[in-house]
Amino acid sequence: MRIRLYRAFASNNSGSYTLVGAFRDPAIAEDAAAELAAMCAAHSAWYEADSNASGLEASPLRAFATQHALLGVPDEAWDHWPEHGAPPTVIHLGHQVLVYAPYTVTMPRALGEYLYKRGGRVSLELDHSHDELACEFTFWIPDARYNDPATHERIAALRAPIDAALPALVERSPHDKRPAIAPAWHRGHFQSHHLSVAFSDPGEGILAVRELARAAGIATTIRIYEIHDPDPFATLRGDGRHEPGHHRVTLWTAGPDRVAVMKVVRDLTGVGLAEARALVDELPQELLANVSQPVADQAARSLVEAGATAEAYQVTRRG
């Protein structure tokens, strides 16, 4: 007789939901955001009071859908609204309207349908996201002349209060031991400036940056995407680490102090502790590629000082 034992793990954890709508007229966007915010607050209160409701006939969402002739309302309340997480956050950003729920299975498609009814369109929908979100803000002064030096001065002045607020907004939860992803400021075309950041709570973070920009009289829009890289903003920081070049760095052996080497690996690559450990467990590893000679030399020097055997070398192109 043969007996086989299996161990399995199944999960149906909820993810986040993000909806971004765009309008030609910012006044309509602001009015649409106010209506959506009022409905979401009312429906969340109704849902919390009667979470076992079998239908939505008496709900604020159903009344909202009837008022605007929306068809995308589910017949059942379950899994179409945050059951355990925070209620949805609705944010107005100039021409944009953002709806964000941190923990839900999904949300009614009537939300996007409403944006179209008001003359806008859905520019992004991330349904049931489990990865972190990157938020890229674009800042500009609406009435500034082309190449007006005051534009850069005013946006530079905005950086100080935003930079002061960011550490608390990107700090990870106590149970997440990974280092926070460092935000990145970068210049765009013409007069625009950009900030890329991964908030621990995107709803809270976006609201905080919006209020600081509004107080300074500076307009902003946002682009949101899921993060699939330990440090998605490394190439935007302009710190020279990813400066283009023809040099590479290979880590051959870790030496006696693996912890010290892993710390250097994390600093060079931006990966988390588990990823750094995996890299050091599977040597040799090419840690950096296509960087400048000063960057490669410094990286190899840091690894050697930590007790490792490492090499910086130039890649010769042929043809």
Side-chain angles (χ1 to χ4, degrees), residues 239-257:
D239 58 4
R241 180 178 300 172
H242 292 263
E243 179 184 345
H246 306 307
H247 286 71
R248 300 186 179 188
V249 176
T250 295
L251 173 61
W252 296 104
T253 64
D257 193 344

Side-chain angles (χ1 to χ4, degrees), residues 14-36:
S14 296
S16 66
Y17 177 88
T18 307
L19 180 74
V20 179
F23 291 81
R24 292 179 62 88
D25 188 339
I28 297 177
E30 184 174 17
D31 185 65
E35 275 204 298
L36 273 179

Side-chain angles (χ1 to χ4, degrees), residues 26-307:
I28 297 177
E30 184 174 17
D31 185 65
E35 275 204 298
L36 273 179
M39 184 278 293
C40 287
H43 188 73
S44 293
W46 171 87
Y47 193 73
E48 183 177 359
D50 191 6
S51 60
N52 295 318
S54 59
L56 298 176
E57 292 304 322
S59 71
L61 175 60
R62 178 66 73 184
F64 183 80
T66 300
Q67 176 186 353
H68 296 284
L70 307 177
L71 301 177
V73 177
D75 293 330
E76 300 292 330
W78 184 80
D79 88 4
H80 287 86
W81 205 261
E83 184 177 5
H84 302 293
T89 299
V90 181
I91 303 172
H92 168 239
L93 282 168
H95 292 264
Q96 294 176 301
V97 174
L98 168 72
V99 180
Y100 174 76
Y103 191 81
T104 186
V105 176
T106 186
M107 292 287 281
R109 66 182 182 90
L111 301 180
E113 189 182 353
Y114 168 74
L115 298 179
Y116 279 97
K117 285 279 187 177
R118 294 299 306 270
R121 64 172 56 212
V122 173
S123 57
L124 174 75
E125 184 180 34
L126 298 176
D127 195 3
H128 204 84
S129 300
H130 285 277
D131 292 312
E132 293 178 279
L133 300 182
C135 301
E136 181 183 326
F137 294 90
T138 299
F139 301 98
W140 78 97
I141 299 175
D143 299 325
R145 302 189 317 274
Y146 176 70
N147 272 346
D148 185 345
T151 296
H152 302 299
E153 295 173 4
R154 288 179 60 184
I155 295 179
L158 174 63
R159 289 188 58 168
I162 290 180
D163 285 342
L166 284 177
L169 296 172
V170 303
E171 183 180 9
R172 296 188 186 274
S173 60
H175 67 272
D176 190 341
K177 302 304 181 183
R178 296 174 299 167
I181 298 174
W185 287 91
H186 43 109
R187 289 283 296 275
H189 296 296
F190 304 111
Q191 303 280 76
S192 65
H193 292 238
H194 299 259
L195 168 65
S196 293
V197 57
F199 296 113
S200 54
D201 182 336
E204 178 186 8
I206 294 169
L207 274 173
V209 172
R210 184 198 71 175
E211 291 306 303
L212 291 171
R214 282 186 173 181
I218 294 174
T220 181
T221 57
I222 194 168
R223 183 173 73 93
I224 299 176
Y225 55 95
E226 291 183 89
I227 293 174
H228 304 295
D229 187 281
D231 188 0
F233 312 140
T235 58
L236 301 175
R237 294 196 190 93
D239 58 4
R241 180 178 300 172
H242 292 263
E243 179 184 345
H246 306 307
H247 286 71
R248 300 186 179 188
V249 176
T250 295
L251 173 61
W252 296 104
T253 64
D257 193 344
R258 291 171 57 84
V259 174
V261 172
M262 283 192 293
K263 288 181 179 178
V264 177
V265 169
R266 292 183 67 184
D267 181 62
L268 293 177
T269 62
V271 302
L273 178 59
E275 292 88 348
R277 184 181 293 113
L279 286 173
V280 175
D281 285 344
E282 298 287 340
L283 296 179
Q285 292 281 356
E286 185 179 84
L287 298 182
L288 297 179
N290 302 322
V291 297
S292 64
Q293 182 177 356
V295 172
D297 289 343
Q298 180 57 50
R301 189 178 306 114
S302 298
L303 289 165
V304 171
E305 290 174 353

